[in-house]
Amino acid sequence: MGILSDTSSATTATKWLGFIAAVWIQAISGNNYTFSNYSDALKSLMHLTQLELNNLSVAKDVGKAFGLLAGLASDRLPTWAILLIGSFEGLIGYGVQWLVVGQIIQPLPYWQMCVFLCMGGNSTTWMNTAVLVTCIRNFRRNRGPVSGILKGYVGLSTAIFTNLCSALLAEDPAFFLLTLAVVPFIVCLTGVFFLREIPVAKVTTAEEDNEESKYFGILNAVAVVLAVYLLAYGFVPNVNTLVSRVFVAILLVLLASPLGIPVYAYFKGRNSGRVGGDIEGNRVREPLIQNGDKENETVPVEAVETVGTETEAVVVVKGQPAVGEEHTIMEVMKSLDFWILFVSFLCGVGTGLAVMNNMGQIGLALGYTDVSIFVSLTSIFGFFGRIISGSVSEYFIKKSATPRPLWNAISQILMAVGYILLALAMPGSLYIGSIIVGICYGVRLAVTVPTASELFGLKYYGLIYNILILNLPLGSFLFSGLLAGILYDMEATTTEGGGNTCVGGHCYRLVFIVMAGACVVGFFLDILLSLRTKTVYNKICMSKRSKKSSGTSTS
């Protein structure tokens, strides 16, 4: 019995150690959102118009379109291989940009710069796919908190990079790009030893479920402390060398602190095994069909069976699967619900990404010479949107069967309000607008990730996730490359050397109005999806309550 207990505690500790490694990887994989920190250096060095600069940002986001390769690979390659591919690609993509901005080499032709920005953008899709697919399969009973925490750290990564580089070497864009190239590479090389898919236990105890929820609560608390710490540092005036070094030291301690969870889980498991061994009376059965299994499930033509799981209850029938069942990729492509989710996702993340890509020029147009505070605000409040919406949406599913897409609808209408405030260009509106856009962008990402797994299953989740992520390059092209780029150039005046510039609230006013309209469209689509999936979430809620009741009755 003691040997079995040691094995169980080691497995639990390994699973949590992998999750902590995933947190670190996500904390450095948001480099795709940091373009504003070095876009001005590229614009002046290469003598670009705003449209040309925006198309560079589109090239960066087009890299996510090739995330389909990562999705296909997620069911064929081990996690460590996917991480290595992403880390090497990022090292090359951002490394070449560093050589150009640092003026170590001459500026490359425009199309070659597009290629290397595309590589940098694509590198994150491999990291994110490896992390999300592995962790959601390892913690399938808590998909909302998993998505919220991991996506939250992606949101924080921009602020982590920005503040870390500011503390170490002022506002040097070349040093910033060097950090984007090297740090993710080192962290991913470390993560390959710990992040792996752990076989799902056939039975779980109510105590284990409560313990898992408690650990996620601790991780949420640590992440909130980290976010507040980063936010506070952004407002510290006249930072000297000593304060900068203290900030970096505390930041590293906060990032390392979650390691206490796998250590505690390991020793707690060993000690409880020695005291009482396994307590079978408190066991609760895992689902009959695991969504993450890679084996094909065959169902007789005449079979009709209701299957209950912790996160979903489905009816298995022959033919096109209903929403809530396992879908193949072709079945997903034929699903109306998927395309409603896809287009509404485009309205939220596409417009949000346009703001992030153009934050440098938006700030300059409104009279701010340093836009790093707005980049940090968008990042940090994006974190709050991600981490809160993941846990809150999970709670309301269990309590009242509230469909997750309803939270997306709320975020869409709030985002539209944020764009209206930005269009008005009143004093302080950029601060408020950055906060609102950050929160709503974060909600969209954190809520859509588990929604896709609940509506279409985990079996092909890696590819489904990357199809949804196609909205990032598509949205960047539509709202940033075309809409913002063309309308800005219409308002701008030509400068010496071939570039152009625009100053005043009128520069982006029409852009914000159009994006507010897009968010209203997304709002109605999310309301429609909430109505169409209400039955699925009722079944999920009943399944969770049934599992909780069976665990309580056997105690």
PDB file of all heavy atoms in Angstrom, residues 43 50 360-369 425 487-495 500-509:
ATOM      1  N   LYS A  43       9.955  51.462 -37.634  1.00  0.00           N
ATOM      2  CA  LYS A  43       9.392  52.445 -38.557  1.00  0.00           C
ATOM      3  C   LYS A  43      10.428  53.486 -38.961  1.00  0.00           C
ATOM      4  O   LYS A  43      10.560  53.818 -40.152  1.00  0.00           O
ATOM      5  CB  LYS A  43       8.176  53.129 -37.904  1.00  0.00           C
ATOM      6  CG  LYS A  43       7.458  54.101 -38.828  1.00  0.00           C
ATOM      7  CD  LYS A  43       6.207  54.679 -38.175  1.00  0.00           C
ATOM      8  CE  LYS A  43       5.471  55.596 -39.145  1.00  0.00           C
ATOM      9  NZ  LYS A  43       4.228  56.164 -38.547  1.00  0.00           N
ATOM     10  N   GLN A  50       2.743  54.249 -42.082  1.00  0.00           N
ATOM     11  CA  GLN A  50       1.974  53.518 -41.072  1.00  0.00           C
ATOM     12  C   GLN A  50       1.357  52.255 -41.662  1.00  0.00           C
ATOM     13  O   GLN A  50       1.273  51.215 -40.996  1.00  0.00           O
ATOM     14  CB  GLN A  50       0.878  54.412 -40.487  1.00  0.00           C
ATOM     15  CG  GLN A  50       0.133  53.800 -39.302  1.00  0.00           C
ATOM     16  CD  GLN A  50       1.054  53.505 -38.149  1.00  0.00           C
ATOM     17  OE1 GLN A  50       2.012  54.234 -37.907  1.00  0.00           O
ATOM     18  NE2 GLN A  50       0.798  52.420 -37.439  1.00  0.00           N
ATOM     19  N   GLY A 360       1.439  52.150 -29.985  1.00  0.00           N
ATOM     20  CA  GLY A 360       2.503  53.146 -30.091  1.00  0.00           C
ATOM     21  C   GLY A 360       2.043  54.381 -30.836  1.00  0.00           C
ATOM     22  O   GLY A 360       2.242  55.523 -30.380  1.00  0.00           O
ATOM     23  N   GLN A 361       1.367  54.196 -31.968  1.00  0.00           N
ATOM     24  CA  GLN A 361       0.920  55.330 -32.782  1.00  0.00           C
ATOM     25  C   GLN A 361      -0.325  55.992 -32.185  1.00  0.00           C
ATOM     26  O   GLN A 361      -0.515  57.197 -32.317  1.00  0.00           O
ATOM     27  CB  GLN A 361       0.640  54.857 -34.217  1.00  0.00           C
ATOM     28  CG  GLN A 361       1.884  54.569 -35.016  1.00  0.00           C
ATOM     29  CD  GLN A 361       2.656  53.360 -34.479  1.00  0.00           C
ATOM     30  OE1 GLN A 361       2.075  52.300 -34.209  1.00  0.00           O
ATOM     31  NE2 GLN A 361       3.956  53.513 -34.313  1.00  0.00           N
ATOM     32  N   ILE A 362      -1.194  55.190 -31.530  1.00  0.00           N
ATOM     33  CA  ILE A 362      -2.369  55.774 -30.866  1.00  0.00           C
ATOM     34  C   ILE A 362      -1.914  56.729 -29.767  1.00  0.00           C
ATOM     35  O   ILE A 362      -2.424  57.844 -29.622  1.00  0.00           O
ATOM     36  CB  ILE A 362      -3.272  54.663 -30.285  1.00  0.00           C
ATOM     37  CG1 ILE A 362      -3.902  53.850 -31.415  1.00  0.00           C
ATOM     38  CG2 ILE A 362      -4.366  55.266 -29.408  1.00  0.00           C
ATOM     39  CD1 ILE A 362      -4.655  52.616 -30.934  1.00  0.00           C
ATOM     40  N   GLY A 363      -0.925  56.282 -28.972  1.00  0.00           N
ATOM     41  CA  GLY A 363      -0.407  57.118 -27.896  1.00  0.00           C
ATOM     42  C   GLY A 363       0.220  58.396 -28.418  1.00  0.00           C
ATOM     43  O   GLY A 363      -0.037  59.489 -27.907  1.00  0.00           O
ATOM     44  N   LEU A 364       1.028  58.287 -29.477  1.00  0.00           N
ATOM     45  CA  LEU A 364       1.669  59.471 -30.062  1.00  0.00           C
ATOM     46  C   LEU A 364       0.629  60.435 -30.629  1.00  0.00           C
ATOM     47  O   LEU A 364       0.757  61.651 -30.505  1.00  0.00           O
ATOM     48  CB  LEU A 364       2.643  59.046 -31.155  1.00  0.00           C
ATOM     49  CG  LEU A 364       3.910  58.318 -30.686  1.00  0.00           C
ATOM     50  CD1 LEU A 364       4.711  57.830 -31.891  1.00  0.00           C
ATOM     51  CD2 LEU A 364       4.771  59.223 -29.808  1.00  0.00           C
ATOM     52  N   ALA A 365      -0.420  59.875 -31.254  1.00  0.00           N
ATOM     53  CA  ALA A 365      -1.467  60.723 -31.823  1.00  0.00           C
ATOM     54  C   ALA A 365      -2.191  61.522 -30.738  1.00  0.00           C
ATOM     55  O   ALA A 365      -2.628  62.653 -30.974  1.00  0.00           O
ATOM     56  CB  ALA A 365      -2.471  59.869 -32.598  1.00  0.00           C
ATOM     57  N   LEU A 366      -2.301  60.932 -29.541  1.00  0.00           N
ATOM     58  CA  LEU A 366      -3.001  61.602 -28.444  1.00  0.00           C
ATOM     59  C   LEU A 366      -2.060  62.384 -27.541  1.00  0.00           C
ATOM     60  O   LEU A 366      -2.452  62.843 -26.466  1.00  0.00           O
ATOM     61  CB  LEU A 366      -3.787  60.574 -27.627  1.00  0.00           C
ATOM     62  CG  LEU A 366      -4.922  59.869 -28.385  1.00  0.00           C
ATOM     63  CD1 LEU A 366      -5.634  58.862 -27.493  1.00  0.00           C
ATOM     64  CD2 LEU A 366      -5.924  60.880 -28.933  1.00  0.00           C
ATOM     65  N   GLY A 367      -0.779  62.505 -27.957  1.00  0.00           N
ATOM     66  CA  GLY A 367       0.142  63.376 -27.241  1.00  0.00           C
ATOM     67  C   GLY A 367       1.002  62.709 -26.188  1.00  0.00           C
ATOM     68  O   GLY A 367       1.628  63.405 -25.381  1.00  0.00           O
ATOM     69  N   TYR A 368       1.091  61.367 -26.187  1.00  0.00           N
ATOM     70  CA  TYR A 368       1.923  60.658 -25.208  1.00  0.00           C
ATOM     71  C   TYR A 368       3.202  60.191 -25.887  1.00  0.00           C
ATOM     72  O   TYR A 368       3.161  59.435 -26.862  1.00  0.00           O
ATOM     73  CB  TYR A 368       1.178  59.446 -24.637  1.00  0.00           C
ATOM     74  CG  TYR A 368      -0.083  59.806 -23.886  1.00  0.00           C
ATOM     75  CD1 TYR A 368      -1.331  59.774 -24.522  1.00  0.00           C
ATOM     76  CD2 TYR A 368      -0.039  60.173 -22.549  1.00  0.00           C
ATOM     77  CE1 TYR A 368      -2.493  60.090 -23.840  1.00  0.00           C
ATOM     78  CE2 TYR A 368      -1.204  60.490 -21.854  1.00  0.00           C
ATOM     79  CZ  TYR A 368      -2.420  60.449 -22.501  1.00  0.00           C
ATOM     80  OH  TYR A 368      -3.573  60.764 -21.819  1.00  0.00           O
ATOM     81  N   THR A 369       4.343  60.630 -25.380  1.00  0.00           N
ATOM     82  CA  THR A 369       5.622  60.229 -25.979  1.00  0.00           C
ATOM     83  C   THR A 369       6.050  58.844 -25.520  1.00  0.00           C
ATOM     84  O   THR A 369       6.762  58.141 -26.229  1.00  0.00           O
ATOM     85  CB  THR A 369       6.726  61.239 -25.607  1.00  0.00           C
ATOM     86  OG1 THR A 369       6.797  61.369 -24.181  1.00  0.00           O
ATOM     87  CG2 THR A 369       6.423  62.599 -26.229  1.00  0.00           C
ATOM     88  N   ALA A 425     -11.629  60.562 -27.493  1.00  0.00           N
ATOM     89  CA  ALA A 425     -10.294  61.146 -27.262  1.00  0.00           C
ATOM     90  C   ALA A 425     -10.302  62.220 -26.187  1.00  0.00           C
ATOM     91  O   ALA A 425      -9.646  63.263 -26.323  1.00  0.00           O
ATOM     92  CB  ALA A 425      -9.724  61.696 -28.575  1.00  0.00           C
ATOM     93  N   LEU A 487      -6.925  54.108 -42.852  1.00  0.00           N
ATOM     94  CA  LEU A 487      -7.560  55.311 -42.311  1.00  0.00           C
ATOM     95  C   LEU A 487      -6.541  56.239 -41.651  1.00  0.00           C
ATOM     96  O   LEU A 487      -6.674  57.467 -41.715  1.00  0.00           O
ATOM     97  CB  LEU A 487      -8.656  54.924 -41.314  1.00  0.00           C
ATOM     98  CG  LEU A 487      -9.865  54.206 -41.915  1.00  0.00           C
ATOM     99  CD1 LEU A 487     -10.921  53.935 -40.845  1.00  0.00           C
ATOM    100  CD2 LEU A 487     -10.481  55.015 -43.058  1.00  0.00           C
ATOM    101  N   TYR A 488      -5.514  55.678 -41.001  1.00  0.00           N
ATOM    102  CA  TYR A 488      -4.465  56.516 -40.412  1.00  0.00           C
ATOM    103  C   TYR A 488      -3.713  57.278 -41.504  1.00  0.00           C
ATOM    104  O   TYR A 488      -3.473  58.483 -41.392  1.00  0.00           O
ATOM    105  CB  TYR A 488      -3.501  55.646 -39.605  1.00  0.00           C
ATOM    106  CG  TYR A 488      -2.353  56.423 -38.958  1.00  0.00           C
ATOM    107  CD1 TYR A 488      -2.446  56.862 -37.652  1.00  0.00           C
ATOM    108  CD2 TYR A 488      -1.180  56.692 -39.671  1.00  0.00           C
ATOM    109  CE1 TYR A 488      -1.396  57.562 -37.054  1.00  0.00           C
ATOM    110  CE2 TYR A 488      -0.132  57.392 -39.094  1.00  0.00           C
ATOM    111  CZ  TYR A 488      -0.244  57.820 -37.776  1.00  0.00           C
ATOM    112  OH  TYR A 488       0.794  58.511 -37.197  1.00  0.00           O
ATOM    113  N   ASP A 489      -3.332  56.574 -42.559  1.00  0.00           N
ATOM    114  CA  ASP A 489      -2.581  57.222 -43.643  1.00  0.00           C
ATOM    115  C   ASP A 489      -3.399  58.316 -44.326  1.00  0.00           C
ATOM    116  O   ASP A 489      -2.854  59.300 -44.833  1.00  0.00           O
ATOM    117  CB  ASP A 489      -2.125  56.190 -44.671  1.00  0.00           C
ATOM    118  CG  ASP A 489      -0.923  55.389 -44.189  1.00  0.00           C
ATOM    119  OD1 ASP A 489      -0.273  55.826 -43.224  1.00  0.00           O
ATOM    120  OD2 ASP A 489      -0.657  54.317 -44.763  1.00  0.00           O
ATOM    121  N   MET A 490      -4.728  58.153 -44.337  1.00  0.00           N
ATOM    122  CA  MET A 490      -5.588  59.184 -44.918  1.00  0.00           C
ATOM    123  C   MET A 490      -5.531  60.472 -44.099  1.00  0.00           C
ATOM    124  O   MET A 490      -5.636  61.574 -44.642  1.00  0.00           O
ATOM    125  CB  MET A 490      -7.032  58.678 -44.993  1.00  0.00           C
ATOM    126  CG  MET A 490      -7.278  57.629 -46.065  1.00  0.00           C
ATOM    127  SD  MET A 490      -8.951  56.931 -45.974  1.00  0.00           S
ATOM    128  CE  MET A 490      -9.942  58.413 -46.160  1.00  0.00           C
ATOM    129  N   GLU A 491      -5.346  60.329 -42.795  1.00  0.00           N
ATOM    130  CA  GLU A 491      -5.316  61.491 -41.901  1.00  0.00           C
ATOM    131  C   GLU A 491      -3.905  62.045 -41.702  1.00  0.00           C
ATOM    132  O   GLU A 491      -3.731  63.172 -41.221  1.00  0.00           O
ATOM    133  CB  GLU A 491      -5.894  61.119 -40.533  1.00  0.00           C
ATOM    134  CG  GLU A 491      -7.323  60.630 -40.555  1.00  0.00           C
ATOM    135  CD  GLU A 491      -8.317  61.752 -40.826  1.00  0.00           C
ATOM    136  OE1 GLU A 491      -7.919  62.938 -40.688  1.00  0.00           O
ATOM    137  OE2 GLU A 491      -9.463  61.467 -41.201  1.00  0.00           O
ATOM    138  N   ALA A 492      -2.870  61.241 -42.030  1.00  0.00           N
ATOM    139  CA  ALA A 492      -1.484  61.606 -41.707  1.00  0.00           C
ATOM    140  C   ALA A 492      -0.874  62.534 -42.762  1.00  0.00           C
ATOM    141  O   ALA A 492      -1.365  62.638 -43.888  1.00  0.00           O
ATOM    142  CB  ALA A 492      -0.644  60.337 -41.586  1.00  0.00           C
ATOM    143  N   THR A 493       0.203  63.183 -42.358  1.00  0.00           N
ATOM    144  CA  THR A 493       0.982  64.024 -43.271  1.00  0.00           C
ATOM    145  C   THR A 493       2.349  63.386 -43.488  1.00  0.00           C
ATOM    146  O   THR A 493       2.922  62.780 -42.574  1.00  0.00           O
ATOM    147  CB  THR A 493       1.171  65.432 -42.697  1.00  0.00           C
ATOM    148  OG1 THR A 493       1.776  65.334 -41.403  1.00  0.00           O
ATOM    149  CG2 THR A 493      -0.160  66.138 -42.567  1.00  0.00           C
ATOM    150  N   THR A 494       2.882  63.542 -44.681  1.00  0.00           N
ATOM    151  CA  THR A 494       4.163  62.931 -45.031  1.00  0.00           C
ATOM    152  C   THR A 494       5.308  63.632 -44.295  1.00  0.00           C
ATOM    153  O   THR A 494       5.323  64.851 -44.161  1.00  0.00           O
ATOM    154  CB  THR A 494       4.409  63.013 -46.541  1.00  0.00           C
ATOM    155  OG1 THR A 494       3.324  62.385 -47.223  1.00  0.00           O
ATOM    156  CG2 THR A 494       5.707  62.310 -46.915  1.00  0.00           C
ATOM    157  N   THR A 495       6.259  62.832 -43.817  1.00  0.00           N
ATOM    158  CA  THR A 495       7.429  63.385 -43.131  1.00  0.00           C
ATOM    159  C   THR A 495       8.665  63.181 -43.982  1.00  0.00           C
ATOM    160  O   THR A 495       8.665  62.391 -44.935  1.00  0.00           O
ATOM    161  CB  THR A 495       7.645  62.710 -41.764  1.00  0.00           C
ATOM    162  OG1 THR A 495       7.821  61.304 -41.963  1.00  0.00           O
ATOM    163  CG2 THR A 495       6.469  62.948 -40.842  1.00  0.00           C
ATOM    164  N   ASN A 500       5.331  58.905 -42.406  1.00  0.00           N
ATOM    165  CA  ASN A 500       4.251  59.852 -42.182  1.00  0.00           C
ATOM    166  C   ASN A 500       3.850  59.824 -40.720  1.00  0.00           C
ATOM    167  O   ASN A 500       4.202  58.911 -39.980  1.00  0.00           O
ATOM    168  CB  ASN A 500       3.040  59.554 -43.080  1.00  0.00           C
ATOM    169  CG  ASN A 500       2.421  58.206 -42.795  1.00  0.00           C
ATOM    170  OD1 ASN A 500       2.799  57.515 -41.859  1.00  0.00           O
ATOM    171  ND2 ASN A 500       1.458  57.819 -43.619  1.00  0.00           N
ATOM    172  N   THR A 501       3.110  60.838 -40.305  1.00  0.00           N
ATOM    173  CA  THR A 501       2.690  60.909 -38.909  1.00  0.00           C
ATOM    174  C   THR A 501       1.380  61.665 -38.816  1.00  0.00           C
ATOM    175  O   THR A 501       1.037  62.466 -39.698  1.00  0.00           O
ATOM    176  CB  THR A 501       3.762  61.604 -38.037  1.00  0.00           C
ATOM    177  OG1 THR A 501       3.386  61.529 -36.664  1.00  0.00           O
ATOM    178  CG2 THR A 501       3.917  63.060 -38.421  1.00  0.00           C
ATOM    179  N   CYS A 502       0.638  61.397 -37.737  1.00  0.00           N
ATOM    180  CA  CYS A 502      -0.638  62.060 -37.508  1.00  0.00           C
ATOM    181  C   CYS A 502      -0.765  62.352 -36.020  1.00  0.00           C
ATOM    182  O   CYS A 502      -0.454  61.489 -35.186  1.00  0.00           O
ATOM    183  CB  CYS A 502      -1.804  61.168 -37.973  1.00  0.00           C
ATOM    184  SG  CYS A 502      -3.442  61.903 -37.729  1.00  0.00           S
ATOM    185  N   VAL A 503      -1.210  63.544 -35.684  1.00  0.00           N
ATOM    186  CA  VAL A 503      -1.376  63.941 -34.286  1.00  0.00           C
ATOM    187  C   VAL A 503      -2.785  64.493 -34.107  1.00  0.00           C
ATOM    188  O   VAL A 503      -3.234  65.335 -34.882  1.00  0.00           O
ATOM    189  CB  VAL A 503      -0.336  65.015 -33.877  1.00  0.00           C
ATOM    190  CG1 VAL A 503      -0.568  65.458 -32.434  1.00  0.00           C
ATOM    191  CG2 VAL A 503       1.081  64.480 -34.046  1.00  0.00           C
ATOM    192  N   GLY A 504      -3.478  63.965 -33.089  1.00  0.00           N
ATOM    193  CA  GLY A 504      -4.833  64.450 -32.808  1.00  0.00           C
ATOM    194  C   GLY A 504      -5.818  63.308 -32.634  1.00  0.00           C
ATOM    195  O   GLY A 504      -5.575  62.169 -33.069  1.00  0.00           O
ATOM    196  N   GLY A 505      -6.952  63.602 -32.009  1.00  0.00           N
ATOM    197  CA  GLY A 505      -7.969  62.587 -31.757  1.00  0.00           C
ATOM    198  C   GLY A 505      -8.620  62.055 -33.012  1.00  0.00           C
ATOM    199  O   GLY A 505      -9.211  60.967 -33.010  1.00  0.00           O
ATOM    200  N   HIS A 506      -8.526  62.830 -34.128  1.00  0.00           N
ATOM    201  CA  HIS A 506      -9.170  62.404 -35.373  1.00  0.00           C
ATOM    202  C   HIS A 506      -8.447  61.245 -36.053  1.00  0.00           C
ATOM    203  O   HIS A 506      -9.030  60.579 -36.917  1.00  0.00           O
ATOM    204  CB  HIS A 506      -9.222  63.593 -36.346  1.00  0.00           C
ATOM    205  CG  HIS A 506      -7.867  64.072 -36.780  1.00  0.00           C
ATOM    206  ND1 HIS A 506      -7.057  64.825 -35.948  1.00  0.00           N
ATOM    207  CD2 HIS A 506      -7.168  63.894 -37.933  1.00  0.00           C
ATOM    208  CE1 HIS A 506      -5.928  65.104 -36.583  1.00  0.00           C
ATOM    209  NE2 HIS A 506      -5.967  64.559 -37.790  1.00  0.00           N
ATOM    210  N   CYS A 507      -7.181  61.000 -35.670  1.00  0.00           N
ATOM    211  CA  CYS A 507      -6.357  60.016 -36.392  1.00  0.00           C
ATOM    212  C   CYS A 507      -6.980  58.617 -36.389  1.00  0.00           C
ATOM    213  O   CYS A 507      -6.939  57.898 -37.388  1.00  0.00           O
ATOM    214  CB  CYS A 507      -4.958  59.953 -35.776  1.00  0.00           C
ATOM    215  SG  CYS A 507      -4.041  61.505 -35.850  1.00  0.00           S
ATOM    216  N   TYR A 508      -7.549  58.218 -35.249  1.00  0.00           N
ATOM    217  CA  TYR A 508      -8.095  56.863 -35.121  1.00  0.00           C
ATOM    218  C   TYR A 508      -9.591  56.861 -34.812  1.00  0.00           C
ATOM    219  O   TYR A 508     -10.146  55.806 -34.510  1.00  0.00           O
ATOM    220  CB  TYR A 508      -7.355  56.104 -34.012  1.00  0.00           C
ATOM    221  CG  TYR A 508      -5.987  55.598 -34.424  1.00  0.00           C
ATOM    222  CD1 TYR A 508      -4.844  56.340 -34.157  1.00  0.00           C
ATOM    223  CD2 TYR A 508      -5.841  54.385 -35.092  1.00  0.00           C
ATOM    224  CE1 TYR A 508      -3.591  55.883 -34.537  1.00  0.00           C
ATOM    225  CE2 TYR A 508      -4.600  53.917 -35.476  1.00  0.00           C
ATOM    226  CZ  TYR A 508      -3.471  54.673 -35.195  1.00  0.00           C
ATOM    227  OH  TYR A 508      -2.237  54.208 -35.580  1.00  0.00           O
ATOM    228  N   ARG A 509     -10.255  58.012 -34.874  1.00  0.00           N
ATOM    229  CA  ARG A 509     -11.664  58.090 -34.453  1.00  0.00           C
ATOM    230  C   ARG A 509     -12.549  57.138 -35.256  1.00  0.00           C
ATOM    231  O   ARG A 509     -13.333  56.349 -34.682  1.00  0.00           O
ATOM    232  CB  ARG A 509     -12.176  59.519 -34.574  1.00  0.00           C
ATOM    233  CG  ARG A 509     -13.630  59.668 -34.133  1.00  0.00           C
ATOM    234  CD  ARG A 509     -14.020  61.130 -33.976  1.00  0.00           C
ATOM    235  NE  ARG A 509     -13.332  61.710 -32.824  1.00  0.00           N
ATOM    236  CZ  ARG A 509     -12.595  62.814 -32.873  1.00  0.00           C
ATOM    237  NH1 ARG A 509     -12.427  63.446 -34.029  1.00  0.00           N
ATOM    238  NH2 ARG A 509     -12.020  63.296 -31.793  1.00  0.00           N
TER     239      ARG A 509
END
